[in-house]
Amino acid sequence: MKIAITGKGGVGKTTFSAVLSRLLADKGYSVLAVDADPDANLALALGFPHELAEEIVPISDMKNLVAERTGAQPGTFGTMFKMNPKVSDIPEKYCKEYKGVKLLTMGTVDTGGSGCVCPEHVLLKTLTTHLIIGNKDVVIMDMEAGIEHLGRGTAKGVDFFIVVVEPGERSLQTYRKVKQLGEDIGINKVYVVGNKVRNKEDEDFILSHVSEEACLGFIHYNQNVIDSDRANLSPYDQSEETKIDIEQIYQKLRGFSDVQI
């Protein structure tokens, strides 16, 4: 099972990614959570102690690893390097684990523009493909908005693209963009989770823009989730109501006949 979770900044996709990861781990699944958002904070949302979270080094920042696997120094351009570096052992070697969830933080490439072909970029892209196509864990990827960084073949290996939205036009615009990007490369399995929902009017607003078939469910606004962020605690440990909401979303995921979860 491979799940890519996206959405515009601030909608709560990291909260959803963290609670879903912890929920599945508690159900006995082998879960690998992947922080693929440049603004990486999935570790804290999962409940990692601050000291353990501080030990995490993003893969893109591991200069020796990048050089070893690609044959070129990070940040170099115009030099020869491997386009298919070995990555199969990276999840096991470099992930951190807490409460049954393994975490791998990808990092980002800050040089050369979004379309750069540099050693770090190649390593991250190859690793992403392996996690989706070759890894046997349940993989939950907390991603930045959009799916442009997934290649056509990689994207087709994802079982669910889930866009977290708020009951507002801007986040629903992100959903429409992701849906269109998916359709452009032959991906039609793009779903929505409504977050920070306060009442039926909020639910109806989301459903006026998203079909009921595409909406996996709603996570209701909960002050305990806000407080957990301030206290640097996982919402999974602080909000029973949010766990119940995401349990219902999980049950709907299970209802898809072609997916085993």
Side-chain angles (χ1 to χ4, degrees):
M1 168 59 57
K2 307 297 185 288
I3 302 172
I5 299 171
T6 184
K8 88 173 188 66
V11 297
K13 64 183 179 59
T14 298
T15 295
F16 176 61
S17 300
V19 175
L20 183 61
S21 296
R22 291 280 303 274
L23 181 73
L24 292 178
D26 279 355
K27 290 180 181 294
Y29 291 97
S30 177
V31 178
L32 175 62
V34 181
D35 198 340
D37 190 329
D39 184 20
N41 50 33
L42 183 56
L44 297 179
L46 285 165
F48 275 61
H50 187 74
E51 317 80 66
L52 183 57
E54 287 293 307
E55 294 176 7
I56 295 172
V57 179
I59 297 299
S60 63
D61 290 346
M62 295 183 181
K63 306 305 182 186
N64 291 338
L65 177 67
V66 173
E68 172 198 334
R69 299 305 171 91
T70 66
Q73 289 300 316
T76 58
F77 300 91
T79 60
M80 298 289 289
F81 55 85
K82 297 176 183 177
M83 296 299 289
N84 59 341
K86 178 184 176 182
V87 296
S88 58
D89 61 333
I90 288 178
E92 190 65 33
K93 283 185 175 180
Y94 297 103
C95 70
K96 298 286 186 180
E97 184 169 350
Y98 183 73
K99 297 287 187 181
V101 178
K102 294 173 286 186
L103 173 66
L104 191 66
T105 301
M106 302 289 272
T108 187
V109 180
D110 296 322
T111 56
S114 60
C116 82
V117 179
C118 57
E120 300 98 318
H121 175 85
V122 168
L123 186 66
L124 291 183
K125 186 173 181 180
T126 305
L127 179 56
T128 299
T129 300
H130 169 74
L131 292 171
I132 292 174
I133 304 297
N135 192 280
K136 298 185 185 301
D137 295 312
V138 172
V139 176
I140 297 176
M141 302 190 74
D142 180 16
M143 311 177 77
E144 59 186 322
I147 59 174
E148 300 94 327
H149 44 307
L150 294 179
R152 183 183 300 265
T154 304
K156 287 185 177 180
V158 175
D159 296 296
F160 294 102
F161 285 104
I162 300 177
V163 186
V164 179
V165 304
E166 297 173 323
E169 180 56 37
R170 286 191 291 269
S171 66
L172 286 161
Q173 184 178 27
T174 299
Y175 161 66
R176 289 190 289 269
K177 176 185 176 185
V178 172
K179 189 171 186 292
Q180 183 59 58
L181 288 168
E183 290 173 353
D184 289 346
I185 60 173
I187 306 299
N188 298 308
K189 45 195 177 184
V190 180
Y191 302 92
V192 163
V193 165
N195 190 30
K196 303 180 186 178
V197 171
R198 299 163 297 177
N199 47 45
K200 190 174 185 302
E201 286 76 14
D202 284 348
E203 294 182 7
D204 290 343
F205 178 81
I206 292 172
L207 290 174
S208 70
H209 294 267
V210 179
S211 70
E212 289 197 23
E213 294 77 15
C215 185
L216 295 173
F218 302 105
I219 305 169
H220 295 87
Y221 180 88
N222 191 296
Q223 187 62 42
N224 288 336
V225 173
I226 306 298
D227 293 343
S228 71
D229 184 37
R230 292 174 180 170
N232 198 23
L233 299 169
S234 173
Y236 185 82
D237 299 317
Q238 298 298 304
S239 174
E240 193 63 30
E241 295 87 351
T242 298
K243 285 171 62 175
I244 291 171
D245 285 341
I246 295 178
E247 171 72 29
Q248 292 174 344
I249 291 166
Y250 158 74
Q251 293 298 337
K252 187 163 184 178
L253 286 175
R254 289 191 67 194
F256 287 85
S257 59
D258 61 334
V259 173
Q260 299 298 316
I261 184 171

